[in-house]
Amino acid sequence: MAAEGQALTAGDYITHHLVHLQNKKQVEIIDFSVFNLDSLFWSISLGLTAVLFMAYAARRVHSGVPGRLQGLVEMLVELVDTQAKGIVHNETSRRAVSAAALTAFVWIFLMNAMDLVPVDAIPQLWHWAGPAMGLPDYMRVVATADLSITLGMSSFVFAMCLYYGIKVKGLGGFVKDLFSAPFHGHGIGAVLLAPFNFLLNLIEYAAKTISHGMRLFGNMYAGELVFMLIALMGASAALSLSGSLLFVGHVIAGTIWAIFHILIITLQAFIFMMLTLIYVGQAHESH
């Protein structure tokens, strides 16, 4: 934040809210020694919340008339299981993949939902507490608006694809698929096409993993920016004697966007879950 008594410009406000709380300043485009501590804290905390929520719901399941919590969880489980049955045909694999997809859906939904918290609420609390502990005055709470988090999740899905590809086809069958598809050949033709097949498969795996993470990141990053712009409308109204219309616009725009954003955060969690099922399902199939 700016020093006491020093006002932030609109550009400063947006820039400040887009900086992460890090263990050290990043000086290179790619630096694996830099950790976004705020993203790690919120993603781990909400991941544990998701696991504890599902464990709590599972312990309360009974055969009688379901309550609202049990009904909600049963609806989610049935949704994921129905989609998984049409995509992952191996029943043994489907149990583990469905559980992973359900966990991803709940986890991502909770991380996305942090965007509905007033944009300055938690950063302002940190503004009072963080510097007092000698920490930088930055705090971003939407972990899915951090590319390192979303790419980390998509990389885990990629690892699942490799695992099931090797498990189902065997190491030899998996490697054969890498060099013999999508262009099939016989004899010398197969040998000549092998390098091109291998390159195309590498590109396909990379494109799936990057787009899987980028899609979630892009949508949540854009949503975070919109909430910041709406917050600026309220700040402008407070600083202007004739800002009543801006304040009304701030309230209306904030309400409409928040309602619409509920659909976005749910849809993005569902899309990530579905792509997880699709990619792992494809890993079970031979070309």
Side-chain angles (χ1 to χ4, degrees):
M1 291 286 185
E4 295 298 332
Q6 183 180 358
L8 285 173
T9 66
D12 291 336
Y13 176 85
I14 295 292
T15 301
H16 179 274
H17 279 64
L18 292 178
V19 177
H20 287 281
L21 174 65
Q22 298 177 322
N23 62 319
K24 68 175 187 178
K25 186 175 181 181
Q26 183 170 343
V27 295
E28 300 177 2
I29 296 178
I30 299 177
D31 188 348
F32 292 107
S33 66
V34 176
F35 298 96
N36 294 336
L37 302 177
D38 44 11
S39 295
L40 287 172
F41 172 80
W42 291 109
S43 61
I44 293 172
S45 298
L46 293 171
L48 291 173
T49 301
V51 172
L52 292 174
F53 165 74
M54 290 187 289
Y56 173 77
R59 285 197 300 269
R60 293 176 62 87
V61 169
H62 56 81
S63 58
V65 178
R68 284 176 291 184
L69 176 61
Q70 182 175 336
L72 172 64
V73 173
E74 287 181 352
M75 181 180 69
L76 290 176
V77 171
E78 184 177 353
L79 170 68
V80 176
D81 190 55
T82 300
Q83 299 299 328
K85 285 180 179 177
I87 299 172
V88 183
H89 304 295
N90 185 304
E91 185 176 354
T92 304
S93 298
R94 189 165 61 242
R95 295 196 196 99
V97 175
S98 296
L102 176 61
T103 303
F105 177 84
V106 177
W107 186 20
I108 292 172
F109 177 83
L110 291 177
M111 288 192 288
N112 290 352
M114 292 299 294
D115 218 0
L116 299 176
V117 177
V119 68
D120 283 309
I122 297 177
Q124 186 60 46
L125 291 174
W126 184 254
H127 174 58
W128 295 327
M133 296 185 292
L135 296 171
D137 188 17
Y138 299 108
M139 176 57 66
R140 290 182 69 181
V141 301
V142 186
T144 44
D146 181 355
L147 186 58
S148 61
I149 295 294
T150 58
L151 284 181
M153 298 177 71
S154 64
S155 296
F156 180 77
V157 175
F158 169 65
M160 288 179 63
C161 292
L162 294 181
Y163 170 76
Y164 281 106
I166 296 173
K167 180 181 179 181
V168 172
K169 305 171 190 175
L171 181 59
F174 178 77
V175 173
K176 180 182 177 182
D177 265 2
L178 288 178
F179 288 94
S180 63
F183 302 117
H184 300 281
H186 301 283
I188 188 64
V191 176
L192 294 175
L193 289 172
F196 299 100
N197 285 329
F198 181 67
L199 178 62
L200 286 173
N201 278 299
L202 290 183
I203 293 173
E204 179 185 0
Y205 277 121
K208 284 180 178 179
T209 303
I210 293 172
S211 64
H212 198 188
M214 286 287 291
R215 181 182 289 103
L216 177 59
F217 158 75
N219 281 279
M220 298 315 301
Y221 186 86
E224 190 180 32
L225 279 177
V226 172
F227 274 119
M228 291 178 191
L229 294 173
I230 293 172
L232 281 173
M233 291 178 64
S236 299
L239 295 173
S240 172
L241 294 176
S242 59
S244 58
L245 290 179
L246 275 176
F247 178 75
V248 172
H250 164 74
V251 173
I252 294 175
T255 302
I256 293 174
W257 181 245
I259 294 172
F260 179 66
H261 208 57
I262 294 173
L263 173 63
I264 294 177
I265 64 179
T266 307
L267 182 61
Q268 291 306 313
F270 178 77
I271 290 174
F272 194 96
M273 177 203 76
M274 284 299 301
L275 289 175
T276 298
L277 291 174
I278 290 171
Y279 294 159
V280 176
Q282 289 175 344
H284 285 70
E285 301 170 358
S286 297
H287 291 284

